[in-house]
């Protein structure tokens, strides 16, 4: 496992992180016993960054992670989020959301508390209520560092400009099908010394030949058309774009954590095998960047 320093937080983090979204069945049926085994194997294999949210399984992801790390809390850099996109992110709701997360995760502190999917809430509300609530929780020692998450890159830049955050997280914006985060967001994060978390590097399942059922038909077809242009990256094994997709993100020195979202031991082991420091060939990188330069796949 490779490790790096998570921006100005100073935390030492594994380049591969465990994403909590699939752990509670949001993307298909899961077996709780296997999930517990998978979390333990992830930690035993060197993964020390775990990311979750109250939204995932309406708290079930946090509960399962809390159960798994009860006796291993010191081994984990734990990231969660506030609030849930079906709620209003006012001061009181933010405080309650984090307190509930602490209870489900069976911990006294969360290392990185991120504002979840900021595109769902008014900017003024988040600045005037959500952030002050998180600052209060930080003063109380219940959270250590603050982050912000969204797929909307112009909005992410706006939040980065407040200089209130220690980390950022985007998803499906630095991957083989859409690398738009490399143009402004990642360079600015490097300049500001922010920790960077990259999610959904398989493009909502498109790069795994298993597009998520909730994807719009137009996006799914566009993604599949882009995959055809990436055929030069295909390996001989089934679902051959998974490996290059993972290596594309893992090898970027300005992305501290690449999340793998899985509830399967087999998939975890496969993704761990890509943590050897090897990326795409320079000519392959040039071609990938040129193919879709400035062309986002998702809204």
């Amino acid at each position: 496992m490779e490790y790096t320093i998570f921006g100005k937080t100073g935390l030492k983090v594994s380049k591969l992180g465990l994403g909590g979204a699939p752990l509670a069945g949001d993307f298909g049926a899961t077996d709780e016993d296997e999930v517990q085994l998978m979390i333990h194997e992830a930690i035993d294999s060197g993964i020390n960054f775990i990311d979750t949210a109250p939204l995932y399984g309406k708290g079930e992801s946090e509960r399962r992670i809390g159960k798994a790390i009860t006796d291993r809390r010191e081994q984990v850099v734990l990231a969660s989020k506030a609030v849930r996109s079906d709620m209003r992110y006012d001061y009181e709701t933010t405080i309650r959301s984090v307190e509930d997360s602490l209870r489900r995760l069976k911990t006294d502190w969360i290392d990185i508390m991120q504002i979840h999917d900021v595109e769902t809430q008014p900017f003024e509300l988040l600045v005037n209520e959500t952030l002050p609530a998180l600052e209060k929780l930080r003063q109380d020692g219940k959270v250590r560092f603050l982050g912000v998450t969204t797929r909307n890159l112009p909005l992410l830049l706006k939040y980065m400009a407040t200089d209130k955050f220690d980390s950022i997280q985007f998803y499906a914006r630095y991957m083989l099908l859409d690398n738009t985060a490399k143009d402004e967001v990642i360079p600015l994060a490097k300049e500001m010394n922010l920790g960077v978390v990259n999610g959904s590097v398989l493009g909502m399942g498109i790069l795994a030949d298993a597009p998520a059922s909730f994807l719009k038909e137009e996006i799914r077809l566009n993604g599949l058309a882009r995959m055809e242009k990436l055929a030069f990256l295909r390996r001989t094994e089934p679902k051959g774009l998974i490996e290059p997709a993972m290596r594309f993100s893992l090898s970027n020195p300005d992305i501290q954590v690449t999340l793998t979202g899985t509830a399967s031991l087999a998939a975890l082991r496969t993704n761990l095998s890509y943590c050897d420091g090897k990326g795409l060939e320079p000519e392959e990188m040039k071609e990938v960047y040129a193919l879709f330069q400035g062309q986002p796949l998702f809204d």
Side-chain angles (χ1 to χ4, degrees):
M1 179 59 65
E2 289 189 298
Y3 296 89
T4 189
I5 300 302
F6 196 63
K8 60 186 174 182
T9 71
L11 295 169
K12 182 180 179 181
V13 296
S14 52
K15 289 280 286 182
L16 185 67
L18 184 63
L23 301 184
D26 283 356
F27 297 99
T30 59
D31 179 87
E32 178 155 5
D33 290 339
E34 183 174 13
V35 167
Q36 294 298 308
L37 289 171
M38 192 267 300
I39 295 171
H40 283 290
E41 183 160 327
I43 297 171
D44 291 340
S45 300
I47 291 176
N48 76 344
F49 190 99
I50 300 179
D51 176 81
T52 184
L55 182 67
Y56 306 154
K58 294 186 177 179
E60 184 66 7
S61 173
E62 289 184 322
R63 187 193 68 78
R64 290 183 173 186
I65 290 168
K67 180 180 177 182
I69 68 170
T70 298
D71 300 322
R72 313 188 69 169
R73 180 64 186 89
E74 296 289 345
Q75 297 175 254
V76 173
V77 174
L78 187 58
S80 193
K81 305 180 185 78
V83 181
R84 269 177 28 194
S85 55
D86 57 344
M87 297 178 177
R88 188 172 185 270
Y89 292 20
D90 57 66
Y91 187 96
E92 292 77 13
T93 304
T94 302
I95 296 288
R96 186 167 61 251
S97 172
V98 176
E99 296 282 6
D100 288 345
S101 290
L102 288 165
R103 186 183 68 256
R104 287 189 292 264
L105 289 162
K106 297 183 179 180
T107 184
D108 295 327
W109 83 98
I110 294 170
D111 296 290
I112 303 160
M113 180 52 63
Q114 306 156 100
I115 305 179
H116 201 181
D117 290 346
V118 292
E119 71 276 7
T120 66
Q121 306 286 321
F123 180 81
E124 293 74 17
L125 175 67
L126 298 187
V127 169
N128 295 327
E129 298 201 40
T130 316
L131 264 172
L134 294 180
E135 291 287 4
K136 174 64 167 60
L137 290 160
R138 175 150 63 177
Q139 291 169 14
D140 292 343
K142 295 179 179 180
V143 302
R144 296 180 65 194
F145 302 103
L146 305 184
V148 58
T149 82
T150 181
R151 194 174 70 202
N152 183 322
L153 298 186
L155 184 58
L156 184 55
L157 289 168
K158 184 176 180 179
Y159 278 96
M160 292 167 71
T162 67
D163 202 23
K164 298 289 187 181
F165 298 98
D166 305 296
S167 71
I168 61 170
Q169 181 175 160
F170 47 79
Y171 61 100
R173 292 302 193 196
Y174 186 82
M175 59 169 185
L176 295 178
L177 302 172
D178 178 341
N179 53 62
T180 46
K182 80 178 190 315
D183 298 326
E184 293 183 76
V185 169
I186 293 176
L188 181 59
K190 182 179 182 180
E191 179 183 326
M192 297 178 71
N193 198 21
L194 300 178
V196 177
V197 181
N198 187 18
S200 195
V201 295
L202 298 182
M204 307 293 188
I206 295 173
L207 288 163
D209 299 328
S213 59
F214 56 78
L215 287 179
K216 296 177 182 177
E217 183 70 2
E218 179 184 0
I219 290 175
R220 188 184 68 82
L221 292 175
N222 189 7
L224 293 174
R226 292 189 183 197
M227 275 188 72
E228 291 301 316
K229 296 181 180 180
L230 294 166
F232 65 95
L233 294 176
R234 278 203 173 269
R235 309 308 189 224
T236 56
E237 69 272 15
K239 300 186 178 181
L241 284 182
I242 293 179
E243 178 176 351
M246 294 297 297
R247 292 190 182 280
F248 179 71
S249 180
L250 284 166
S251 62
N252 188 319
D254 300 324
I255 293 174
Q256 283 74 48
V257 179
T258 295
L259 295 178
T260 175
T262 178
S264 158
L265 276 165
L268 172 72
R269 291 166 182 164
T270 298
N271 288 333
L272 282 164
S273 72
Y274 307 140
C275 299
D276 54 11
K278 298 178 182 177
L280 304 185
E281 295 297 326
E283 288 303 313
E284 292 175 328
M285 288 293 292
K286 284 178 62 177
E287 188 166 352
V288 169
Y289 281 159
L291 274 172
F292 313 120
Q293 174 61 39
Q295 301 175 47
L297 175 62
F298 294 95
D299 299 333

